[in-house]
Amino acid sequence: MKLVGDTNIIFSLFKKDSFTNDFIKEHNIKLFSPDWLSKELDKHSEIICSKSNIPIELFKEAKKHVLKLVSIKDPSKKFLSKSSKLISDKKDTPFLALALELDIPIWSNDPHFQELSVKESTKVFTTNELVEYLE
């Protein structure tokens, strides 16, 4: 299954024994994210390390490992323009744009994704919904 993973889903991949890591391997999930993700990971490196019990000195190595699990693709301007009109949280525009362009669902626990007016054309799974759907 292919999914656009939002930032928090990707953050959870830093913890090697996380549910998310096990779940994507068990269900052969391929995650996609816009290039913007890399900057967000760097911006929040201290929080990620703290929550994942990773020494800050090992962040770059851990980031390389996580980015091997995620296909990075920037959405086209056409889909960025379309998605910016559909989502209230503008920082998530690239994630929605990528989902629309690739025609794949989004995996996010953020409530604003659940409010999308395009839900009928872009499925948004929370973690609980995805677990139910795949099991």
Side-chain angles (χ1 to χ4, degrees):
M1 178 175 212
K2 295 178 182 179
L3 299 165
V4 171
D6 84 351
T7 306
N8 289 318
I9 298 300
I10 306 302
F11 281 5
S12 67
L13 295 174
F14 278 84
K15 191 169 187 176
K16 290 188 181 196
D17 61 347
S18 72
F19 169 82
T20 306
N21 263 311
D22 293 341
F23 189 73
I24 66 168
K25 290 173 189 166
E26 179 182 339
H27 294 284
N28 197 27
I29 294 172
K30 181 69 177 161
L31 293 173
F32 291 81
S33 185
D35 185 46
W36 180 77
L37 172 74
S38 185
K39 292 174 189 162
E40 280 295 290
L41 296 176
D42 290 338
K43 179 179 173 183
H44 299 289
S45 61
E46 289 182 14
I47 294 169
I48 292 169
C49 288
S50 173
K51 290 185 175 187
S52 302
N53 297 318
I54 298 170
I56 194 73
E57 304 81 39
L58 297 180
F59 175 76
K60 285 184 181 182
E61 184 180 320
K63 179 182 168 185
K64 284 181 189 177
H65 171 74
V66 166
L67 291 178
K68 287 180 184 175
L69 302 173
V70 181
S71 292
I72 302 296
K73 181 179 181 349
D74 279 336
S76 68
K77 289 181 183 181
K78 171 185 168 186
F79 285 97
L80 282 169
S81 176
K82 179 179 179 179
S83 65
S84 70
K85 298 169 188 164
L86 301 172
I87 194 162
S88 61
D89 191 345
K90 298 304 179 199
K91 71 177 175 42
D92 287 325
T93 298
F95 294 93
L96 177 57
L98 188 57
L100 291 171
E101 185 169 348
L102 298 176
D103 194 26
I104 61 176
I106 296 170
W107 181 6
S108 174
N109 295 312
D110 290 345
H112 62 273
F113 274 118
Q114 299 301 318
E115 300 166 0
L116 286 173
S117 60
V118 294
K119 264 181 103 171
E120 61 278 353
S121 64
T122 302
K123 176 70 177 146
V124 179
F125 288 104
T126 64
T127 298
N128 288 339
E129 291 169 340
L130 190 58
V131 168
E132 285 182 29
Y133 179 78
L134 293 176
E135 294 184 352

